[in-house]
């Protein structure tokens, strides 16, 4: 192993860049749907050895000294995001005649921009680099901070955060309830990077003890927490999730709207199978209603005829309001409809998708001929705040539309909710890893909030997930049908100071690295 590490340390030029790129690319196999987390025990040690050799000539400014590390981290990140997010380009092929030209922007430019965060992670780590376990702590702190920045800057995009690779099963998802995704990111990198110590004769035993301790604590805590139950298990609801698998190319075709709506009515009206009781709650996916209710009041009548008096249907729909100067404002929303066909509650999407649902610097970019990917039936406006949906005056749902579910920061209000509701339409991405990655992040969000999850996706993956991240029942990708499940309503306690815990973890890793670096310098003198 020392010989391999030595060869990697001495790589230069295009060989160094190519090695970093490949190491990052293969790390994607640790994410869903592959869940081969062991590959990170190869990718991250290679990155450490590359950073060991990322030295510059002395006497230059700090930016020049850190540039080799930044470039190495950038190539690692470029490989990781290119291999992990290529499927985004599939959305541009839905209307290929209009958007195919933008494929290089989605497939290459986006990964190149996201890779800047991993370049920053490597550069920050290099500031407090040492020749022993200190550098393992340094890179954990660097990646922990970089992943946090990736989730908050420029509206954020924390897709496929490294921490998810350490949570392939519910047992190892449980620590996220105490230290949050940001804390898991840093600890995961610390563990994944530890085999780099095999490339030298320093701190091997310390590294082995640290890994065994962290894994044992995570597994032990996970086993204990999975035994917890909500304080009140007497309250439950029967849920029916409708997964229609509507082809994205025909979703807004006027000639198909009636048949699309009718197919969802038919799936909603089916008799329960087996011992399942009739649903209290029926859930349709994001923008599942193919027209505006203001244009088609007969659709509300049809839904009212479908429902019994005590049933409620939650549907993803486009909601319209009159704006300034009578210009309409359109919202990507969830509406609650009761047995009388009346809309009794609604919640709007707060965190819109840049370039998908709105155009940053809209006037300027539109003058260049650009427009949003989703424009039917109109341009979207972000909701002003996240509003809980209260049903039957007793069940409170936290609504999260589409990719809002990937943001830990969007869980504000979860302490007052009893269930997370996620509606989405992943048909844009076809049969690719994208829908599986999206579902895994929703699954982890349930654990992080300590709440069960109801997820309705147009073409999958629709599911009911309990507060421990266990799948109660689910539909596979591209399945068509209605899924019935009984859901226990209630919250399992979670850590209330996760942001402080994350900062403490970063401080601990940074302190370890700094102390080790000082010791190395003192010994050298």
């Amino acid at each position: 192993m020392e010989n391999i590490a030595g060869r990697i340390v001495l790589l230069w030029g295009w060989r160094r860049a190519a090695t970093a790129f490949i190491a990052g690319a293969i790390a994607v196999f640790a994410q869903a749907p592959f869940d081969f987390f062991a590959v990170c025990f190869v990718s991250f040690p290679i990155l450490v050895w590359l950073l060991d050799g990322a030295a510059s000539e002395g006497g230059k400014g700090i930016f020049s000294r850190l540039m080799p590390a930044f470039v190495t981290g950038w190539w690692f990140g470029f490989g990781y995001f290119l291999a992990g997010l290529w499927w985004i380009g599939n959305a541009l092929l839905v209307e290929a005649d209009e958007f195919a030209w933008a494929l290089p922007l989605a497939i290459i430019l986006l990964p190149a921009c996201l890779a800047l965060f991993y370049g920053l992670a490597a550069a920050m780590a290099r500031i407090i680099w040492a020749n022993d376990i200190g550098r393992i702590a340094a890179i954990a702190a660097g990646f922990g901070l970089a992943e946090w920045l990736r989730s908050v800057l420029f509206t954020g995009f924390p897709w496929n955060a490294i921490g998810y690779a350490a949570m392939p099963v519910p047992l190892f998802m449980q620590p996220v309830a105490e230290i949050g995704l940001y804390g898991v990111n840093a600890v995961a990198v610390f563990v994944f990077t530890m085999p780099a110590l095999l490339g030298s004769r320093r701190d091997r035993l310390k590294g082995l003890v640290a890994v065994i301790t962290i894994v044992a604590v995570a597994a032990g805590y996970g086993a204990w927490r999975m035994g917890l139950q909500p304080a009140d298990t007497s309250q439950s609801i029967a849920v029916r999730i409708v997964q229609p698998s509507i082809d994205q190319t025909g979703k807004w075709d006027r000639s198909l709207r009636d048949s699309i709506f009718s197919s969802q009515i038919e799936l909603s009206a089916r008799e329960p199978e087996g011992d399942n009781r009739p649903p209290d709650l029926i859930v349709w996916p994001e923008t599942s209603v193919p027209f505006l209710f203001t244009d088609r009041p007969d659709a509300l009548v049809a839904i009212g005829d479908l429902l019994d008096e005590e049933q409620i249907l939650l549907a993803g729909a486009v909601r319209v309001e009159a704006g300034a100067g009578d210009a309409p404002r359109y919202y990507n929303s969830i509406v609650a409809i009761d047995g009388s066909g009346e809309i009794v509650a609604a919640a709007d999407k707060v965190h819109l998708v840049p370039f998908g649902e709105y155009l940053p610097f809209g006037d300027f970019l539109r003058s260049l001929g650009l427009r949003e990917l989703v424009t039917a039936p109109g341009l979207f406006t972000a909701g002003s705040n996240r509003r809980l949906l209260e049903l039957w005056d007793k069940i409170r749902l936290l609504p999260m539309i589409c990719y809002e579910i990937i943001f830990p920061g969007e869980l504000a209000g979860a302490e007052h909710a009893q269930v997370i509701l996620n509606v989405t339409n992943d048909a844009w991405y076809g049969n690719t890893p994208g829908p599986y990655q999206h579902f895994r992040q929703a699954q982890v969000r349930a654990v992080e909030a300590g709440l069960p999850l109801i997820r309705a996706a147009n073409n999958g993956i629709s599911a009911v997930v309990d507060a421990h991240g266990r799948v109660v029942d689910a539909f596979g990708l591209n399945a068509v049908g209605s899924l019935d499940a009984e859901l226990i309503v209630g919250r399992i306690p979670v850590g209330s100071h996760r942001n402080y815990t994350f900062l403490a973890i970063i401080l601990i890793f940074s302190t370890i690295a700094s102390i080790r670096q000082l010791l190395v310098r003192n010994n050298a003198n």
Side-chain angles (χ1 to χ4, degrees), residues 8 11 14-30 36-51 72-84 118 139 143 162 192:
I8 293 174
L11 289 175
W14 70 266
R15 291 181 177 84
R16 167 176 288 272
T19 302
F21 177 87
I22 293 170
I26 65 174
V28 170
F29 286 103
F36 186 53
F37 67 91
V39 74
C40 286
F41 289 107
V42 176
S43 291
F44 279 92
I46 289 175
L47 177 60
V48 169
W49 295 331
L50 289 170
L51 291 177
T72 299
W74 183 89
W75 276 109
F76 180 90
F78 186 51
Y80 181 73
F81 292 114
L82 186 68
Y118 284 11
I139 200 168
F143 267 85
I162 295 297
F192 288 145

Side-chain angles (χ1 to χ4, degrees), residues 24-205:
I26 65 174
V28 170
F29 286 103
Q31 300 287 351
F34 312 104
D35 290 329
F36 186 53
F37 67 91
V39 74
C40 286
F41 289 107
V42 176
S43 291
F44 279 92
I46 289 175
L47 177 60
V48 169
W49 295 331
L50 289 170
L51 291 177
D52 282 338
S56 63
E57 297 178 12
K60 294 184 177 181
I62 185 170
F63 291 108
S64 296
R65 293 199 303 271
L66 295 179
M67 186 54 66
F70 177 88
V71 171
T72 299
W74 183 89
W75 276 109
F76 180 90
F78 186 51
Y80 181 73
F81 292 114
L82 186 68
L85 298 175
W86 60 267
W87 48 265
I88 290 179
N90 199 79
L92 302 175
L93 299 178
V94 173
E95 299 180 46
D97 57 333
E98 190 165 355
F99 291 107
W101 65 269
L103 277 173
L105 301 181
I107 296 176
I108 297 177
L109 183 59
L110 176 61
C113 291
L114 293 174
L116 295 173
F117 289 100
Y118 284 11
L120 179 62
M124 289 189 294
R126 188 67 198 185
I127 294 173
I128 50 178
W129 204 251
N131 294 323
D132 48 28
I133 199 171
R135 74 200 203 278
I136 308 301
I139 200 168
F143 267 85
L145 286 171
E147 287 286 36
W148 170 72
L149 290 172
R150 184 160 73 93
S151 70
V152 298
L153 292 182
F154 313 113
T155 79
F157 190 63
W159 199 281
N160 279 1
I162 295 297
Y164 292 114
M167 298 183 283
V169 295
L171 177 69
F172 287 104
M173 293 178 188
Q174 304 312 306
V176 79
E178 289 295 333
I179 64 177
L181 176 64
Y182 305 140
V184 171
N185 287 333
V187 175
V189 172
F190 185 72
V191 172
F192 288 145
T193 308
M194 205 63 75
L197 296 175
L198 298 175
S200 66
R201 299 185 180 182
R202 297 173 178 170
D203 292 341
R204 289 183 178 181
L205 181 58

Side-chain angles (χ1 to χ4, degrees), residues 481-503:
S482 54
L483 178 70
D484 291 329
E486 192 82 14
L487 181 69
I488 301 296
V489 174
R491 185 171 184 267
I492 294 176
V494 297
S496 58
H497 303 288
R498 289 194 291 258
N499 288 337
Y500 296 109
T501 305
F502 164 64
L503 291 175

